[in-house]
């Protein structure tokens, strides 16, 4: 089983073409439901704000990459990260619970 911190900096690839969409910048978690809401993706276009992929649009998590079926699954994550109960993985790393 892969640790969540190992997802950070993995490339995100479109399954059909193999095109790299970006890299995982952050994992968005729902603390109340103890679940993953999605990932934030860093790409070359920093003007677009927080772009990401919601969990149900992710196809697979591998040791070397995360894959999605279609490039258009990348979307603005403003609506998702406005939830009161969301938390970023980087906020939890190396903290004692």
């Amino acid at each position: 089983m892969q640790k969540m911190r190992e997802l950070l900096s993995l490339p995100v690839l479109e399954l059909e073409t193999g095109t790299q969409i970006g890299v995982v910048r952050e994992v968005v978690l729902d603390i109340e439901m103890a679940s993953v809401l999605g990932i934030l993706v860093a790409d070359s276009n920093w003007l677009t704000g927080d772009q990401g992929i919601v969990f149900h649009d992710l196809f697979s998590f591998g040791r070397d990459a995360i894959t999605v079926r279609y490039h258009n699954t990348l979307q603005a994550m403003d609506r998702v990260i406005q939830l009161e109960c969301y938390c970023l993985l980087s906020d939890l790393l190396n903290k004692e619970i």
Side-chain angles (χ1 to χ4, degrees):
M1 176 174 268
Q2 204 168 3
K3 294 180 181 179
M4 268 200 237
R5 74 174 45 185
E6 294 170 354
L7 299 176
L8 299 174
S9 299
L10 280 180
V12 180
L13 306 175
E14 181 183 6
L15 189 61
E16 201 166 291
T17 65
T19 304
Q20 181 170 331
I21 297 171
V23 297
V24 178
R25 181 170 60 88
E26 191 63 79
V27 178
V28 183
L29 306 166
D30 181 338
I31 296 299
E32 288 181 2
M33 298 298 292
S35 64
V36 175
L37 293 173
I39 59 172
L40 297 180
V41 177
D43 65 1
S44 59
N45 189 358
W46 55 272
L47 295 173
T48 58
D50 286 328
Q51 295 283 306
I53 303 167
V54 293
F55 183 77
H56 68 270
D57 286 335
L58 297 171
F59 182 72
S60 71
F61 297 87
R63 188 178 71 230
D64 300 317
I66 293 176
T67 57
V68 295
R69 286 193 190 273
Y70 308 105
H71 189 274
N72 64 358
T73 57
L74 189 64
Q75 60 182 296
M77 294 293 281
D78 299 341
R79 185 175 44 109
V80 174
I81 61 175
Q82 286 179 354
L83 299 173
E84 291 180 22
C85 56
Y86 91 92
C87 183
L88 301 177
L89 177 62
S90 61
D91 294 339
L92 299 177
L93 291 177
N94 302 318
K95 288 193 177 182
E96 291 185 31
I97 299 178

Coordinates of all heavy atoms in Angstrom, one line a residue:
M1 N 0.8 -1.2 0.0 CA 0.0 0.0 0.0 C 0.9 1.2 0.0 O 1.8 1.3 0.7 CB -0.9 0.0 1.2 CG -1.7 1.2 1.3 SD -2.9 1.2 2.7 CE -4.3 0.5 1.8
Q2 N 0.5 2.2 -0.8 CA 1.3 3.4 -1.0 C 0.9 4.4 0.1 O -0.3 4.6 0.5 CB 0.9 4.0 -2.3 CG 2.0 4.9 -2.9 CD 1.7 5.2 -4.4 OE1 0.8 4.7 -4.9 NE2 2.6 5.9 -4.9
K3 N 1.9 5.2 0.6 CA 1.6 6.2 1.6 C 1.2 7.5 0.8 O 1.7 7.7 -0.3 CB 2.8 6.5 2.4 CG 3.2 5.4 3.3 CD 4.4 5.7 4.1 CE 4.8 4.5 5.0 NZ 6.0 4.8 5.8
M4 N 0.3 8.3 1.4 CA -0.2 9.5 0.7 C 0.9 10.4 0.4 O 0.9 11.1 -0.6 CB -1.3 10.1 1.5 CG -2.6 9.7 1.2 SD -3.8 10.8 1.7 CE -4.8 9.8 2.7
R5 N 1.9 10.6 1.3 CA 3.0 11.5 1.0 C 3.8 11.1 -0.3 O 4.4 12.0 -0.9 CB 3.9 11.7 2.2 CG 4.8 10.5 2.4 CD 5.8 10.7 3.5 NE 5.2 11.3 4.7 CZ 5.8 11.6 5.7 NH1 7.0 11.5 5.9 NH2 5.1 12.1 6.8
E6 N 3.7 9.9 -0.6 CA 4.4 9.4 -1.9 C 3.7 9.9 -3.1 O 4.3 9.8 -4.2 CB 4.6 7.9 -1.9 CG 5.5 7.4 -0.7 CD 5.5 5.9 -0.6 OE1 4.7 5.2 -1.2 OE2 6.2 5.4 0.2
L7 N 2.5 10.3 -3.0 CA 1.8 10.9 -4.2 C 2.3 12.2 -4.6 O 2.2 12.6 -5.7 CB 0.3 10.9 -3.9 CG -0.4 9.6 -3.5 CD1 -1.9 9.9 -3.2 CD2 -0.4 8.7 -4.7
L8 N 2.8 13.0 -3.6 CA 3.2 14.4 -3.9 C 4.4 14.3 -4.9 O 5.3 13.5 -4.8 CB 3.7 15.1 -2.6 CG 2.6 15.2 -1.6 CD1 3.2 15.8 -0.3 CD2 1.5 16.1 -2.1
S9 N 4.3 15.2 -5.9 CA 5.3 15.3 -7.0 C 5.2 14.2 -8.0 O 6.0 14.2 -9.0 CB 6.7 15.4 -6.4 OG 6.8 16.5 -5.6
L10 N 4.2 13.3 -7.9 CA 4.1 12.3 -9.0 C 3.5 12.9 -10.2 O 2.7 13.8 -10.1 CB 3.1 11.1 -8.6 CG 3.6 10.1 -7.7 CD1 2.5 9.0 -7.4 CD2 4.8 9.3 -8.3
P11 N 3.9 12.5 -11.4 CA 3.3 13.0 -12.6 C 1.9 12.5 -12.8 O 1.5 11.4 -12.3 CB 4.2 12.5 -13.8 CG 4.9 11.3 -13.2 CD 5.0 11.5 -11.7
V12 N 1.0 13.4 -13.4 CA -0.4 13.0 -13.7 C -0.5 12.9 -15.2 O -0.2 13.8 -15.9 CB -1.4 14.1 -13.2 CG1 -2.8 13.7 -13.5 CG2 -1.2 14.3 -11.7
L13 N -0.8 11.7 -15.6 CA -0.8 11.3 -17.1 C -2.2 11.0 -17.6 O -3.0 10.4 -16.9 CB 0.1 10.1 -17.3 CG 1.5 10.1 -16.8 CD1 2.2 8.8 -17.0 CD2 2.3 11.3 -17.4
E14 N -2.5 11.5 -18.8 CA -3.7 11.1 -19.5 C -3.5 9.7 -20.0 O -2.5 9.4 -20.7 CB -4.0 12.1 -20.6 CG -5.3 11.8 -21.3 CD -5.6 12.7 -22.5 OE1 -4.7 13.5 -22.8 OE2 -6.7 12.5 -23.0
L15 N -4.4 8.8 -19.7 CA -4.3 7.4 -20.0 C -4.2 7.1 -21.5 O -3.4 6.4 -22.0 CB -5.4 6.6 -19.4 CG -5.3 5.1 -19.4 CD1 -4.1 4.6 -18.6 CD2 -6.6 4.5 -18.8
E16 N -5.1 7.8 -22.3 CA -5.2 7.4 -23.7 C -4.0 7.9 -24.5 O -3.5 7.1 -25.3 CB -6.4 8.1 -24.2 CG -6.9 7.5 -25.5 CD -8.3 7.9 -25.9 OE1 -9.3 7.6 -25.1 OE2 -8.4 8.7 -26.8
T17 N -3.4 9.0 -24.2 CA -2.3 9.6 -25.0 C -0.9 9.5 -24.3 O 0.1 9.6 -24.9 CB -2.5 11.0 -25.4 OG1 -2.6 11.8 -24.2 CG2 -3.8 11.2 -26.2
G18 N -1.0 9.3 -23.0 CA 0.3 9.4 -22.2 C 0.8 10.8 -21.9 O 1.9 10.9 -21.4
T19 N 0.0 11.8 -22.3 CA 0.4 13.1 -22.1 C 0.4 13.5 -20.6 O -0.5 13.2 -19.9 CB -0.6 14.1 -22.8 OG1 -0.6 13.7 -24.2 CG2 -0.1 15.5 -22.7
Q20 N 1.5 14.2 -20.2 CA 1.6 14.6 -18.8 C 0.8 15.9 -18.6 O 1.0 16.9 -19.3 CB 3.0 14.8 -18.4 CG 3.1 15.2 -16.9 CD 4.5 15.2 -16.4 OE1 5.4 14.5 -16.8 NE2 4.8 16.1 -15.4
I21 N -0.2 15.9 -17.7 CA -1.0 17.0 -17.4 C -0.3 17.9 -16.5 O -0.5 19.1 -16.5 CB -2.4 16.6 -16.9 CG1 -3.1 15.7 -17.9 CG2 -3.2 17.7 -16.4 CD1 -4.4 15.1 -17.4
G22 N 0.4 17.4 -15.5 CA 1.1 18.1 -14.5 C 1.7 17.2 -13.5 O 1.8 16.0 -13.7
V23 N 1.9 17.7 -12.3 CA 2.4 16.9 -11.2 C 1.5 17.2 -10.0 O 1.0 18.3 -9.8 CB 3.9 17.1 -10.8 CG1 4.8 16.7 -12.0 CG2 4.1 18.6 -10.4
V24 N 1.5 16.2 -9.1 CA 0.6 16.4 -7.9 C 1.3 17.4 -6.9 O 2.5 17.2 -6.5 CB 0.5 15.0 -7.1 CG1 -0.3 15.2 -5.8 CG2 -0.2 14.0 -8.0
R25 N 0.6 18.4 -6.7 CA 1.1 19.5 -5.8 C 0.6 19.3 -4.4 O 1.3 19.6 -3.4 CB 0.7 20.9 -6.3 CG 1.2 22.0 -5.5 CD 1.0 23.3 -6.1 NE -0.4 23.6 -6.4 CZ -1.2 24.2 -5.6 NH1 -0.8 24.6 -4.4 NH2 -2.5 24.5 -5.9
E26 N -0.6 18.7 -4.3 CA -1.2 18.6 -2.9 C -2.3 17.6 -3.0 O -2.9 17.3 -4.1 CB -1.8 20.0 -2.5 CG -2.3 20.0 -1.1 CD -1.2 19.8 -0.1 OE1 -0.4 20.8 0.1 OE2 -1.1 18.7 0.4
V27 N -2.6 16.9 -1.9 CA -3.7 16.0 -1.8 C -4.8 16.7 -0.8 O -4.4 17.2 0.2 CB -3.3 14.7 -1.2 CG1 -4.5 13.7 -1.0 CG2 -2.2 14.0 -2.0
V28 N -6.0 16.8 -1.3 CA -7.1 17.4 -0.5 C -7.9 16.4 0.2 O -8.4 15.4 -0.5 CB -8.0 18.3 -1.5 CG1 -9.0 19.0 -0.6 CG2 -7.2 19.3 -2.3
L29 N -8.0 16.5 1.5 CA -8.6 15.5 2.3 C -9.9 16.1 3.0 O -10.0 17.3 3.3 CB -7.7 15.1 3.4 CG -6.3 14.6 3.0 CD1 -5.4 14.5 4.2 CD2 -6.4 13.2 2.3
D30 N -10.9 15.2 3.2 CA -12.1 15.5 4.0 C -11.9 14.9 5.4 O -12.0 13.7 5.5 CB -13.3 15.0 3.3 CG -14.6 15.3 4.1 OD1 -14.5 15.6 5.3 OD2 -15.7 15.3 3.4
I31 N -11.6 15.7 6.3 CA -11.2 15.2 7.7 C -12.4 14.5 8.3 O -12.3 13.4 8.9 CB -10.7 16.3 8.6 CG1 -9.4 16.9 8.0 CG2 -10.5 15.9 10.0 CD1 -8.3 15.9 7.9
E32 N -13.6 15.1 8.2 CA -14.8 14.5 8.8 C -15.2 13.1 8.3 O -15.6 12.2 9.0 CB -16.0 15.4 8.7 CG -15.9 16.7 9.5 CD -17.1 17.6 9.4 OE1 -18.0 17.2 8.7 OE2 -17.1 18.6 10.0
M33 N -15.0 12.9 7.0 CA -15.3 11.7 6.3 C -14.1 10.7 6.2 O -14.3 9.6 5.7 CB -15.9 11.9 5.0 CG -17.2 12.7 5.0 SD -18.5 11.9 5.9 CE -18.9 10.5 4.8
A34 N -12.9 11.2 6.6 CA -11.7 10.5 6.5 C -11.5 9.9 5.1 O -11.3 8.7 4.8 CB -11.6 9.3 7.5
S35 N -11.6 10.8 4.1 CA -11.5 10.4 2.7 C -10.7 11.5 1.9 O -10.5 12.6 2.3 CB -12.9 10.3 2.1 OG -13.6 11.5 2.1
V36 N -10.3 11.0 0.7 CA -9.6 11.9 -0.2 C -10.6 12.6 -1.1 O -11.5 11.9 -1.8 CB -8.6 11.1 -1.1 CG1 -7.9 12.0 -2.1 CG2 -7.6 10.4 -0.2
L37 N -10.6 13.9 -1.2 CA -11.5 14.7 -2.1 C -10.9 14.8 -3.5 O -11.6 14.8 -4.5 CB -11.7 16.1 -1.5 CG -12.5 16.2 -0.2 CD1 -12.5 17.6 0.3 CD2 -13.9 15.7 -0.4
G38 N -9.6 14.9 -3.6 CA -9.0 15.0 -4.9 C -7.5 15.4 -4.7 O -6.9 15.4 -3.6
I39 N -6.9 15.9 -5.8 CA -5.5 16.3 -5.9 C -5.5 17.7 -6.5 O -6.3 18.0 -7.4 CB -4.6 15.3 -6.6 CG1 -5.0 15.1 -8.0 CG2 -4.5 14.0 -5.8 CD1 -4.1 14.3 -8.9
L40 N -4.5 18.5 -6.1 CA -4.2 19.7 -6.8 C -3.0 19.5 -7.7 O -2.1 18.8 -7.3 CB -3.9 20.9 -5.8 CG -5.0 21.3 -4.8 CD1 -4.5 22.4 -3.9 CD2 -6.2 21.7 -5.6
V41 N -3.1 20.0 -8.9 CA -2.1 19.7 -9.9 C -1.3 21.0 -10.2 O -1.9 22.0 -10.5 CB -2.7 19.1 -11.2 CG1 -1.7 18.9 -12.2 CG2 -3.5 17.8 -10.8
A42 N 0.0 20.9 -10.2 CA 0.9 22.0 -10.6 C 1.2 21.8 -12.1 O 1.5 20.7 -12.5 CB 2.1 22.0 -9.8
D43 N 1.0 22.8 -12.9 CA 1.4 22.8 -14.3 C 2.1 24.0 -14.7 O 2.4 24.8 -13.8 CB 0.1 22.5 -15.2 CG -0.9 23.6 -15.2 OD1 -0.6 24.6 -14.5 OD2 -1.9 23.5 -15.9
S44 N 2.4 24.2 -15.9 CA 3.2 25.4 -16.4 C 2.4 26.6 -16.4 O 2.9 27.7 -16.5 CB 3.7 25.1 -17.8 OG 2.7 24.8 -18.7
N45 N 1.0 26.6 -16.3 CA 0.2 27.8 -16.3 C -0.2 28.2 -14.9 O -1.3 27.8 -14.4 CB -1.0 27.5 -17.2 CG -1.8 28.8 -17.5 OD1 -1.5 29.8 -17.0 ND2 -2.9 28.6 -18.2
W46 N 0.6 29.0 -14.3 CA 0.3 29.3 -12.9 C -0.7 30.4 -12.7 O -1.2 30.7 -11.6 CB 1.6 29.8 -12.2 CG 2.3 30.9 -13.0 CD1 3.2 30.8 -14.0 CD2 2.2 32.3 -12.8 NE1 3.6 32.0 -14.4 CE2 3.0 33.0 -13.7 CE3 1.4 33.1 -11.9 CZ2 3.1 34.3 -13.8 CZ3 1.5 34.5 -12.0 CH2 2.3 35.1 -12.9
L47 N -1.2 31.0 -13.8 CA -2.3 32.0 -13.8 C -3.7 31.5 -13.6 O -4.6 32.2 -13.3 CB -2.3 32.8 -15.1 CG -1.0 33.6 -15.4 CD1 -1.0 34.2 -16.8 CD2 -0.8 34.7 -14.3
T48 N -3.9 30.2 -13.7 CA -5.2 29.6 -13.6 C -5.7 29.3 -12.2 O -6.9 28.9 -12.1 CB -5.3 28.3 -14.5 OG1 -4.3 27.4 -13.9 CG2 -5.0 28.5 -15.9
G49 N -4.9 29.5 -11.2 CA -5.4 29.3 -9.9 C -5.3 27.8 -9.5 O -4.5 27.1 -10.2
D50 N -6.0 27.4 -8.5 CA -5.9 26.0 -8.1 C -6.6 25.1 -9.0 O -7.9 25.1 -9.1 CB -6.5 25.8 -6.7 CG -5.6 26.4 -5.6 OD1 -4.3 26.3 -5.8 OD2 -6.0 26.8 -4.6
Q51 N -5.9 24.3 -9.8 CA -6.5 23.3 -10.7 C -6.2 22.0 -10.1 O -5.2 21.7 -9.5 CB -5.7 23.4 -12.1 CG -6.0 24.7 -12.8 CD -7.3 24.8 -13.5 OE1 -7.7 23.9 -14.2 NE2 -8.1 25.8 -13.2
G52 N -7.2 21.1 -10.3 CA -7.1 19.8 -9.7 C -8.0 18.8 -10.3 O -8.7 19.1 -11.3
I53 N -8.0 17.6 -9.7 CA -8.9 16.5 -10.2 C -9.6 15.9 -9.0 O -8.9 15.6 -8.0 CB -8.0 15.5 -10.9 CG1 -7.3 16.1 -12.1 CG2 -8.9 14.3 -11.4 CD1 -6.2 15.2 -12.7
V54 N -10.9 15.9 -9.0 CA -11.6 15.3 -7.9 C -11.4 13.7 -7.9 O -11.1 13.1 -8.9 CB -13.1 15.6 -8.0 CG1 -13.4 17.1 -7.7 CG2 -13.8 15.2 -9.3
F55 N -11.5 13.2 -6.7 CA -11.2 11.8 -6.5 C -11.8 10.8 -7.5 O -11.2 9.9 -8.1 CB -11.4 11.3 -5.1 CG -11.0 9.9 -4.8 CD1 -9.7 9.6 -4.6 CD2 -11.9 8.9 -4.8 CE1 -9.3 8.3 -4.4 CE2 -11.5 7.6 -4.6 CZ -10.2 7.3 -4.4
H56 N -13.1 11.0 -7.8 CA -13.8 10.0 -8.6 C -13.4 10.1 -10.1 O -13.7 9.2 -10.9 CB -15.4 10.1 -8.5 CG -15.9 11.4 -9.0 ND1 -16.1 12.5 -8.2 CD2 -16.4 11.7 -10.2 CE1 -16.6 13.5 -9.0 NE2 -16.8 13.0 -10.2
D57 N -12.7 11.1 -10.5 CA -12.1 11.2 -11.9 C -10.7 10.7 -12.0 O -10.2 10.6 -13.1 CB -12.1 12.7 -12.3 CG -13.5 13.2 -12.6 OD1 -14.4 12.4 -12.9 OD2 -13.7 14.4 -12.6
L58 N -10.1 10.3 -10.9 CA -8.8 9.7 -11.0 C -9.0 8.2 -11.4 O -9.8 7.5 -10.9 CB -8.1 9.7 -9.6 CG -7.8 11.2 -9.1 CD1 -7.3 11.1 -7.7 CD2 -6.8 11.9 -10.0
F59 N -8.1 7.7 -12.3 CA -8.3 6.4 -12.8 C -7.5 5.4 -12.0 O -8.0 4.4 -11.5 CB -7.9 6.3 -14.3 CG -8.0 4.9 -14.9 CD1 -9.3 4.4 -15.1 CD2 -6.9 4.1 -15.2 CE1 -9.4 3.1 -15.7 CE2 -7.0 2.9 -15.7 CZ -8.3 2.4 -15.9
S60 N -6.2 5.7 -11.8 CA -5.4 4.8 -10.9 C -4.2 5.6 -10.3 O -3.7 6.6 -10.8 CB -4.8 3.6 -11.8 OG -3.9 4.0 -12.7
F61 N -3.7 5.0 -9.2 CA -2.6 5.5 -8.5 C -1.5 4.4 -8.6 O -1.7 3.3 -8.3 CB -2.8 5.6 -7.0 CG -3.9 6.7 -6.7 CD1 -5.2 6.3 -6.6 CD2 -3.5 7.9 -6.4 CE1 -6.2 7.2 -6.3 CE2 -4.5 8.9 -6.0 CZ -5.8 8.5 -6.0
G62 N -0.3 4.8 -9.2 CA 0.7 3.9 -9.3 C 2.0 4.4 -8.5 O 2.0 5.5 -8.0
R63 N 3.0 3.6 -8.5 CA 4.2 3.9 -7.9 C 4.9 5.1 -8.6 O 5.6 5.9 -8.0 CB 5.2 2.7 -7.8 CG 6.4 3.0 -6.9 CD 7.2 1.7 -6.8 NE 7.9 1.5 -8.1 CZ 7.8 0.3 -8.7 NH1 7.2 -0.7 -8.2 NH2 8.4 0.1 -9.9
D64 N 4.7 5.1 -9.9 CA 5.4 6.1 -10.8 C 4.6 7.2 -11.3 O 5.1 8.2 -11.8 CB 6.1 5.3 -12.0 CG 7.0 4.3 -11.5 OD1 7.8 4.6 -10.6 OD2 7.0 3.2 -12.1
A65 N 3.2 7.1 -11.3 CA 2.4 8.1 -11.8 C 0.9 7.9 -11.4 O 0.5 6.8 -10.9 CB 2.4 8.1 -13.4
I66 N 0.1 8.9 -11.5 CA -1.3 8.9 -11.4 C -1.9 9.1 -12.8 O -1.4 9.9 -13.5 CB -1.8 10.0 -10.4 CG1 -1.3 9.7 -9.0 CG2 -3.3 10.1 -10.4 CD1 -1.6 10.8 -8.0
T67 N -2.9 8.3 -13.1 CA -3.5 8.4 -14.4 C -5.0 8.8 -14.3 O -5.7 8.5 -13.4 CB -3.4 7.1 -15.2 OG1 -4.1 6.0 -14.4 CG2 -2.0 6.7 -15.5
V68 N -5.4 9.5 -15.4 CA -6.8 9.9 -15.6 C -7.2 9.5 -17.0 O -6.3 9.4 -17.9 CB -7.0 11.5 -15.4 CG1 -6.7 11.9 -14.0 CG2 -6.1 12.3 -16.3
R69 N -8.4 9.3 -17.2 CA -8.9 8.9 -18.5 C -8.8 10.0 -19.5 O -8.4 9.8 -20.7 CB -10.3 8.4 -18.5 CG -10.4 7.0 -17.9 CD -11.8 6.4 -18.2 NE -12.0 5.2 -17.4 CZ -11.7 4.0 -17.8 NH1 -11.1 3.9 -19.0 NH2 -11.9 3.0 -17.1
Y70 N -9.2 11.2 -19.1 CA -9.3 12.4 -20.1 C -8.6 13.6 -19.5 O -8.7 13.9 -18.3 CB -10.8 12.7 -20.4 CG -11.6 11.4 -20.8 CD1 -12.4 10.8 -19.9 CD2 -11.4 10.9 -22.1 CE1 -13.2 9.7 -20.3 CE2 -12.1 9.7 -22.4 CZ -13.0 9.2 -21.6 OH -13.6 8.0 -21.9
H71 N -8.1 14.4 -20.4 CA -7.4 15.6 -20.0 C -8.4 16.6 -19.4 O -8.0 17.4 -18.5 CB -6.7 16.2 -21.3 CG -5.8 17.4 -20.9 ND1 -6.3 18.7 -20.8 CD2 -4.5 17.5 -20.7 CE1 -5.3 19.5 -20.5 NE2 -4.2 18.8 -20.4
N72 N -9.6 16.6 -19.9 CA -10.6 17.6 -19.4 C -11.1 17.3 -17.9 O -12.0 18.0 -17.5 CB -11.8 17.7 -20.3 CG -12.6 16.4 -20.4 OD1 -12.3 15.4 -19.8 ND2 -13.7 16.5 -21.2
T73 N -10.5 16.3 -17.3 CA -10.9 16.1 -15.9 C -10.2 17.1 -15.0 O -10.6 17.3 -13.8 CB -10.5 14.7 -15.4 OG1 -9.1 14.5 -15.6 CG2 -11.3 13.6 -16.1
L74 N -9.2 17.8 -15.5 CA -8.6 18.9 -14.8 C -9.5 20.1 -14.7 O -10.1 20.5 -15.7 CB -7.3 19.3 -15.5 CG -6.4 20.3 -14.8 CD1 -5.8 19.6 -13.5 CD2 -5.2 20.7 -15.7
Q75 N -9.8 20.6 -13.5 CA -10.8 21.6 -13.3 C -10.4 22.5 -12.1 O -9.5 22.2 -11.3 CB -12.2 21.0 -13.0 CG -12.2 20.1 -11.8 CD -13.5 19.5 -11.5 OE1 -14.5 20.2 -11.3 NE2 -13.6 18.2 -11.6
A76 N -11.1 23.7 -12.1 CA -10.9 24.6 -10.9 C -11.4 23.9 -9.7 O -12.4 23.3 -9.6 CB -11.6 25.9 -11.2
M77 N -10.6 23.9 -8.6 CA -10.9 23.2 -7.4 C -11.4 24.2 -6.3 O -11.6 23.8 -5.2 CB -9.6 22.5 -6.9 CG -9.2 21.4 -7.7 SD -10.3 20.0 -7.8 CE -9.9 19.2 -6.3
D78 N -11.7 25.4 -6.7 CA -12.2 26.4 -5.7 C -13.5 25.9 -5.0 O -13.6 26.0 -3.8 CB -12.6 27.7 -6.4 CG -11.4 28.3 -7.1 OD1 -10.3 28.0 -6.7 OD2 -11.6 29.2 -8.0
R79 N -14.4 25.3 -5.7 CA -15.6 24.8 -5.1 C -15.4 23.7 -4.1 O -15.9 23.6 -3.0 CB -16.6 24.3 -6.2 CG -17.9 23.9 -5.7 CD -18.8 23.6 -6.9 NE -18.1 22.8 -7.9 CZ -18.4 21.5 -8.1 NH1 -19.3 20.9 -7.5 NH2 -17.7 20.8 -9.0
V80 N -14.4 22.8 -4.5 CA -14.1 21.6 -3.6 C -13.4 22.0 -2.4 O -13.7 21.6 -1.3 CB -13.3 20.6 -4.4 CG1 -12.8 19.5 -3.5 CG2 -14.1 20.1 -5.6
I81 N -12.5 23.0 -2.5 CA -11.7 23.3 -1.3 C -12.3 24.4 -0.5 O -11.7 24.9 0.5 CB -10.2 23.7 -1.7 CG1 -10.1 24.9 -2.6 CG2 -9.5 22.5 -2.3 CD1 -8.7 25.3 -2.9
Q82 N -13.5 24.8 -0.8 CA -14.2 25.7 0.1 C -15.0 25.0 1.2 O -15.6 25.7 2.1 CB -15.2 26.6 -0.8 CG -14.5 27.6 -1.6 CD -15.5 28.5 -2.4 OE1 -16.6 28.2 -2.5 NE2 -14.9 29.5 -3.1
L83 N -15.0 23.7 1.2 CA -15.7 23.0 2.2 C -15.0 23.3 3.6 O -13.8 23.4 3.6 CB -15.6 21.5 2.0 CG -16.3 21.0 0.7 CD1 -16.0 19.5 0.5 CD2 -17.8 21.2 0.8
E84 N -15.8 23.4 4.6 CA -15.2 23.7 5.9 C -14.3 22.6 6.5 O -13.4 22.9 7.2 CB -16.4 24.0 6.9 CG -17.1 25.3 6.6 CD -18.2 25.5 7.6 OE1 -18.2 24.9 8.7 OE2 -19.2 26.2 7.3
C85 N -14.6 21.4 6.1 CA -13.9 20.3 6.7 C -12.7 19.8 5.9 O -12.1 18.8 6.2 CB -14.8 19.1 6.9 SG -15.7 18.6 5.4
Y86 N -12.3 20.5 4.8 CA -11.2 20.1 4.0 C -9.9 20.4 4.7 O -9.7 21.3 5.5 CB -11.2 20.7 2.6 CG -10.4 22.0 2.5 CD1 -9.1 22.0 2.1 CD2 -11.0 23.2 2.7 CE1 -8.4 23.1 2.0 CE2 -10.3 24.4 2.6 CZ -9.0 24.3 2.2 OH -8.3 25.5 2.1
C87 N -8.9 19.6 4.4 CA -7.5 19.8 4.9 C -6.5 19.4 3.8 O -6.8 18.5 3.0 CB -7.3 18.9 6.1 SG -5.7 19.1 6.9
L88 N -5.4 20.0 3.8 CA -4.3 19.6 2.8 C -3.4 18.7 3.5 O -3.0 18.8 4.7 CB -3.6 20.9 2.3 CG -4.5 21.9 1.6 CD1 -3.7 23.1 1.3 CD2 -5.2 21.3 0.4
L89 N -2.9 17.7 2.7 CA -2.0 16.7 3.3 C -0.8 17.4 3.9 O -0.3 17.0 4.9 CB -1.6 15.7 2.1 CG -0.6 14.7 2.5 CD1 -1.1 13.8 3.6 CD2 -0.2 13.8 1.3
S90 N -0.2 18.4 3.2 CA 1.0 19.0 3.7 C 0.8 19.6 5.1 O 1.7 19.8 5.8 CB 1.5 20.1 2.7 OG 0.5 21.1 2.6
D91 N -0.5 20.0 5.4 CA -0.7 20.5 6.8 C -0.6 19.4 7.8 O -0.5 19.7 9.0 CB -2.1 21.1 6.8 CG -2.3 22.4 5.9 OD1 -1.2 23.0 5.6 OD2 -3.4 22.7 5.6
L92 N -0.8 18.2 7.4 CA -0.8 17.1 8.4 C 0.6 16.3 8.5 O 0.8 15.7 9.5 CB -1.8 16.1 8.0 CG -3.3 16.6 8.0 CD1 -4.2 15.4 7.6 CD2 -3.7 17.1 9.4
L93 N 1.4 16.5 7.5 CA 2.7 15.8 7.5 C 3.6 16.2 8.7 O 3.6 17.3 9.0 CB 3.4 16.0 6.2 CG 2.8 15.4 5.0 CD1 3.6 15.8 3.7 CD2 2.7 13.9 5.1
N94 N 4.2 15.2 9.3 CA 5.1 15.4 10.4 C 4.5 16.0 11.6 O 5.2 16.6 12.4 CB 6.3 16.2 9.9 CG 7.0 15.5 8.8 OD1 7.2 14.3 8.7 ND2 7.4 16.3 7.8
K95 N 3.2 15.8 11.8 CA 2.5 16.3 13.0 C 2.2 15.1 13.9 O 1.8 14.0 13.4 CB 1.3 17.1 12.7 CG 1.6 18.4 12.1 CD 0.4 19.3 12.1 CE 0.8 20.6 11.5 NZ -0.3 21.5 11.5
E96 N 2.3 15.3 15.2 CA 1.8 14.2 16.1 C 0.3 14.3 16.3 O -0.2 15.4 16.4 CB 2.6 14.3 17.4 CG 4.0 14.0 17.3 CD 4.7 14.0 18.6 OE1 4.0 13.7 19.7 OE2 5.9 14.3 18.7
I97 N -0.3 13.1 16.3 CA -1.8 13.1 16.5 C -2.1 12.4 17.8 O -1.5 11.4 18.1 CB -2.4 12.4 15.3 CG1 -2.1 13.1 14.0 CG2 -3.9 12.3 15.5 CD1 -2.7 12.5 12.8

